[in-house]
Amino acid sequence: MDVINTVPVEEVPVGTVTSGPLDDRRPEDEYLTIALTKGRLASQTMELLGRAGFYCEELGDKKSRKLVFTNEEQKLRFFLSKGPDVPTYVEYGAADIGVTGSDIIMEENRRVYEVLDLDFGKCRMCVAGPESARELLRHHEMIRVASKYPNIAKDYFYNRKHQTIDIIKLNGSVELGPIVELADVIVDIVETGSTLKENGLGVLEEVCPISARMIVNQVSMTMKAGRIRDFISRVRDAVNA
Ligand code: PRP
């Protein structure tokens, strides 16, 4: 499934930032707000941002339960949220920028610009199940598919495989689906493959590769064009270094 709002950052129109009588904030005084995905992805993102020259010391304290962190000097504000909420914060402008997995961006399908592949958090979206399910897939039989990603699963089976399926939404430990005969197969992310292996399941088909991406609010991309372009370009250089 394609992310419909993916655009190379060079193609995003540059708006003029105006300061009317009711709004005399200068763009350099404004915070750039960045939504991070709690957990390992947030640590990897901060490590990458550090290499790009952006930092936030407060965020390093692992014991803290704080959710919002600021770097006054660089006018950056970071917050930690659940992955599936990151595109929501960015679409509504509560964050200018967000970092989360492409699996989540595809599943949520929010109106945001996807501007950068960060080249970490790599895994694969797969159809997995017991070996016996291979025949069901081959003959395009009506099957039950359990997934945390119902939109991705539907898109794959309906639009790419032209196969009618019954989707069952689960919220985690999806591998249980075929084991307890709730579903024939699952659509889920596979990183090392060990969860599948330890549960007697395997990859049957690959849907798409996954990695962490940077997304940007569509209005911020115009209203804070200079800062956001500079941010993206420094992070891009750090990714490519
Ligand atoms: C994810 C995914 C698989 C597992 C894959 O689950 O849903 O279960 O990781 O990783 P592996 O290939 O390295 O074994 P997660 O740990 O996010 O927990 P969840 O099942 O509760 O969603």
Side-chain angles (χ1 to χ4, degrees):
M1 181 162 61
D2 292 331
V3 177
I4 50 169
N5 293 309
T6 301
V7 287
V9 67
E10 291 77 13
E11 289 173 19
V12 176
V14 186
T16 322
V17 181
T18 52
S19 306
L22 295 176
D23 184 1
D24 57 3
R25 283 173 303 174
R26 294 172 306 158
E28 60 270 30
D29 291 339
E30 283 188 47
Y31 285 96
L32 213 51
T33 303
I34 300 150
L36 301 169
T37 299
K38 260 185 192 174
R40 201 151 69 96
L41 223 49
S43 312
Q44 289 173 301
T45 305
M46 291 315 292
E47 194 267 325
L48 171 67
L49 294 190
R51 284 191 275 125
F54 302 108
Y55 56 91
C56 185
E57 274 165 24
E58 278 190 307
L59 251 168
D61 181 3
K62 298 267 184 271
K63 278 180 263 150
S64 168
R65 302 285 293 167
K66 256 181 97 166
L67 295 172
V68 183
F69 308 87
T70 47
N71 173 340
E72 292 297 342
E73 190 195 330
Q74 295 187 316
K75 290 282 178 224
L76 296 173
R77 180 165 56 188
F78 296 89
F79 64 80
L80 294 168
S81 75
K82 288 269 189 190
D85 295 335
V86 168
T88 312
Y89 286 115
V90 174
E91 178 181 289
Y92 284 92
D96 300 301
I97 292 173
V99 174
T100 194
S102 53
D103 51 336
I104 286 168
I105 296 167
M106 276 191 284
E107 181 64 25
E108 297 296 316
N109 201 22
R110 294 277 177 181
R111 280 169 298 173
V112 294
Y113 291 133
E114 185 184 315
V115 295
L116 208 53
D117 184 339
L118 302 181
D119 210 34
F120 57 74
K122 287 186 178 181
C123 50
R124 298 178 292 157
M125 182 66 66
C126 295
V127 178
E131 198 47 42
S132 57
R134 215 178 268 285
E135 281 300 297
L136 301 174
L137 291 171
R138 190 173 301 141
H139 296 120
H140 286 222
E141 289 189 34
M142 177 75 183
I143 52 169
R144 278 185 171 182
V145 179
S147 187
K148 279 189 287 191
Y149 304 92
N151 293 327
I152 294 177
K154 264 185 225 161
D155 181 71
Y156 178 71
F157 280 101
Y158 293 173
N159 300 329
R160 277 170 62 185
K161 296 205 68 191
H162 306 293
Q163 181 171 1
T164 310
I165 56 161
D166 207 357
I167 285 271
I168 303 168
K169 164 91 198 278
L170 290 178
N171 293 300
S173 303
V174 180
E175 291 81 0
L176 267 176
I179 298 173
V180 301
E181 296 180 8
L182 172 74
D184 298 296
V185 296
I186 60 174
V187 167
D188 199 17
I189 51 171
V190 178
E191 191 179 355
T192 61
S194 55
T195 311
L196 289 177
K197 200 168 165 203
E198 284 183 31
N199 289 290
L201 307 172
V203 171
L204 303 173
E205 292 175 1
E206 188 167 324
V207 177
C208 60
I210 301 294
S211 59
R213 307 288 165 94
M214 182 181 290
I215 54 176
V216 176
N217 172 268
Q218 295 185 344
V219 174
S220 303
M221 188 60 110
T222 301
M223 299 306 288
K224 297 184 182 177
R227 285 203 69 192
I228 290 184
R229 279 167 186 250
D230 173 65
F231 188 86
I232 295 170
S233 121
R234 284 167 64 177
V235 176
R236 184 194 285 120
D237 289 347
V239 171
N240 295 332

